[in-house]
Amino acid sequence: APGSYNGTPFSGITQWASGSKPYFNTPGLALGPRVGFAYDVFGDGKTAIRGGFGIFYGRAFGVDTLGATGVGIGPLATPPHFLAPIVLNSTISGLSNAQLVFTPQTTVGGPLSYPAPATYDWSFGVQHDLGRGFVIDVSYVANVAHHQFNQGAINLNAVQPLTDWTPTANNGQPGPVSKFLDPTSGNGGTAGFYNVNLIRALAGPYPGWNSIQMYSSNGESYYDSLQAQINKRVGKRFYFGSNFTWSKTIVYSRDQFVPDQLLKNIAGGSRPFAFNLNFGYAIPNGSALWKNKATEFMLDDWHVEGIITMYAGQPLTISCSANGAPIGYWTGTPDTGGLPFRCQQTGNLWLGSGATPASVGSTAPSALWWPFNKSSFSLPAANSLGIGNTPPTLTYGPGFNNTDLNLYKQWHVFGEGRILEIRFQMFNALNHFNPGNPNTSLALNFSNGVNTNSAFGTITNAAFPARRGVLSARFTF
């Protein structure tokens, strides 16, 4: 929007305060083709092959992001145009004359040119009419996303890993580097690290500055799926629709210190398969067997509907945390950013056949316990930056199975335009127990590797409530 800064007009947020030069280079026109086809294979309207491809663009980032981080004038929200002073050792009445202190500033940055995020979608499928209103459709559907916005993946003033702690700092043994320890802190003679900004002043690329977060457009993802449908499209009394999807979504969460291959992950909501079935049936009028006013009132216009849902569980892995670890251990930097902390896996995920909760000292019921082999996981090595070899996805959690039913009857009262309806809905009608995910967190003692999380491997919650019913009445006029 038009405005001014220090008396100098500018015509938009994408310009310098002087109004003479664009601050961000707006992406130029992009070609986003969309193409699709459908082919009647045999010429009888029964079988069709369909496909398509398209490129879809989002909005390039930069201007809105920087504008939202400060005073709302885009680039003017960052130092030296905008500074955040603090006041120390003063009172409310003395604020006007208090001395202002400027601590190291956090700022943001990034390239002047941001590519627009793009998604490439494609599909190929076969559709066939099975007769009697039944149609089957099987398709391959996929997409890949490029240039997705990634906030804070790069910190220009980050302290490099293995700086304030190294595997050989103490006579060849793991420990903190003495120059970064504050002798005035700690209890029992154990000093802690200096303030993060002081460590940055001693070892960061830009002394006197806090974090310099760089926005980037380097996020990537990939989606693959097989999608199938069987539907009954027409029918006087009965209809149904069903679909099955097998899919996998892979994403990259990039970090400046870690290679891409260590950060590739199956998305947290990516389930291997999902199945849905919905149906409806208008029950034949019972008065056809014995027609009178009473049977028409009681036995006609009944309907039943239902939805059946089944899908696989979420991706799971075994995670580790350390109890009693020395300060700075593993990463050796206060700027861990997106460094993933992962266990070191040395054996099979599962215990041997015949294992029971009691065999590993657990009191959980067998139905609420997964036989994870905790002895197969340990803390990662000292020189690993905390990134063990345990993959981001080791297995999948419990699946989900649910059936909802709906029974209702209608009466036409006082003419055709007025309908009284009584409806009984039952959610989780079969009262199927859908367990939540098992506990997959190991709390390992640093000195001896013993796990202190007694809930490891147990399921402590349900993913869906027990059966419940709702009775309702509705009058339409």
Side-chain angles (χ1 to χ4, degrees), residues 38-395:
Y39 176 60
D40 186 347
V41 179
F42 303 109
D44 58 0
K46 297 289 187 179
T47 304
I49 296 177
R50 305 176 187 273
F53 173 83
I55 302 177
F56 302 84
Y57 293 98
R59 185 174 181 180
F61 291 91
V63 176
D64 293 343
T65 303
L66 291 180
T69 61
V71 296
I73 314 181
L76 303 182
T78 61
H81 303 286
F82 174 76
L83 298 174
I86 62 174
V87 177
L88 302 175
N89 302 320
S90 183
T91 61
I92 296 297
S93 59
L95 280 178
S96 60
N97 297 318
Q99 181 178 358
L100 301 181
V101 178
F102 291 91
T103 61
Q105 298 292 300
T106 297
T107 189
V108 295
L112 297 184
S113 298
Y114 282 86
T119 302
Y120 295 70
D121 294 347
W122 61 92
S123 64
F124 179 84
V126 178
Q127 188 179 67
H128 181 66
D129 186 347
L130 300 175
R132 296 183 178 274
F134 289 89
V135 178
I136 184 172
D137 193 334
V138 180
S139 301
Y140 168 67
V141 181
N143 68 63
V144 60
H146 298 301
H147 307 304
Q148 301 302 299
F149 186 57
N150 198 348
Q151 178 177 347
I154 299 174
N155 179 3
L156 290 188
N157 204 27
V159 176
Q160 292 290 320
L162 303 183
T163 296
D164 59 24
W165 174 95
T166 71
T168 58
N170 296 335
N171 298 321
Q173 298 297 316
V177 178
S178 58
K179 67 177 290 186
F180 299 108
L181 294 175
D182 181 0
T184 65
S185 68
N187 297 315
T190 303
F193 284 123
Y194 283 122
N195 176 275
V196 173
N197 282 329
L198 184 52
I199 295 178
R200 287 199 182 98
L202 294 171
Y206 300 96
W209 286 78
N210 203 325
S211 296
I212 305 177
Q213 300 290 342
M214 303 296 288
Y215 297 107
S216 60
S217 296
N218 61 3
E220 301 282 327
S221 68
Y222 184 80
Y223 172 78
D224 254 328
S225 71
L226 174 67
Q227 301 180 9
Q229 301 181 64
I230 300 180
N231 301 311
K232 181 175 172 57
R233 294 184 171 181
V234 294
K236 293 183 177 180
R237 291 194 173 274
F238 176 68
Y239 72 88
F240 85 90
S242 64
N243 60 74
F244 172 84
T245 301
W246 172 92
S247 66
K248 179 180 288 187
T249 303
I250 298 176
V251 297
Y252 283 95
S253 299
R254 287 188 161 95
D255 184 88
Q256 67 192 96
F257 300 128
V258 184
D260 279 353
Q261 61 266 26
L262 293 179
L263 293 174
K264 184 175 70 172
N265 193 11
I266 296 177
S270 178
R271 302 175 186 267
F273 72 84
F275 172 77
N276 296 280
L277 170 67
N278 64 84
F279 64 88
Y281 181 60
I283 301 173
N285 292 336
S287 64
L289 301 176
W290 184 19
K291 191 171 182 63
N292 57 61
K293 292 295 184 181
T295 57
E296 287 181 0
F297 183 83
M298 297 297 298
L299 304 179
D300 290 359
D301 294 322
W302 284 94
H303 300 78
V304 61
E305 298 172 337
I307 300 175
I308 299 173
T309 303
M310 294 183 288
Y311 48 79
Q314 294 177 313
L316 296 180
T317 193
I318 303 299
S319 63
C320 291
S321 62
N323 295 332
I327 60 172
Y329 188 61
W330 285 298
T331 61
T333 171
D335 296 300
T336 55
L339 288 175
F341 187 83
R342 295 177 183 165
C343 308
Q344 185 70 17
Q345 185 175 0
T346 57
N348 197 293
L349 171 63
W350 307 105
L351 293 167
S353 60
T356 63
S359 66
V360 293
S362 174
T363 58
S366 296
L368 299 177
W369 176 77
W370 280 34
F372 295 132
N373 188 357
K374 61 183 178 183
S375 63
S376 293
F377 300 90
S378 61
L379 297 175
N383 59 356
S384 67
L385 299 183
I387 308 174
N389 65 353
T390 301
T393 298
L394 270 174
T395 185

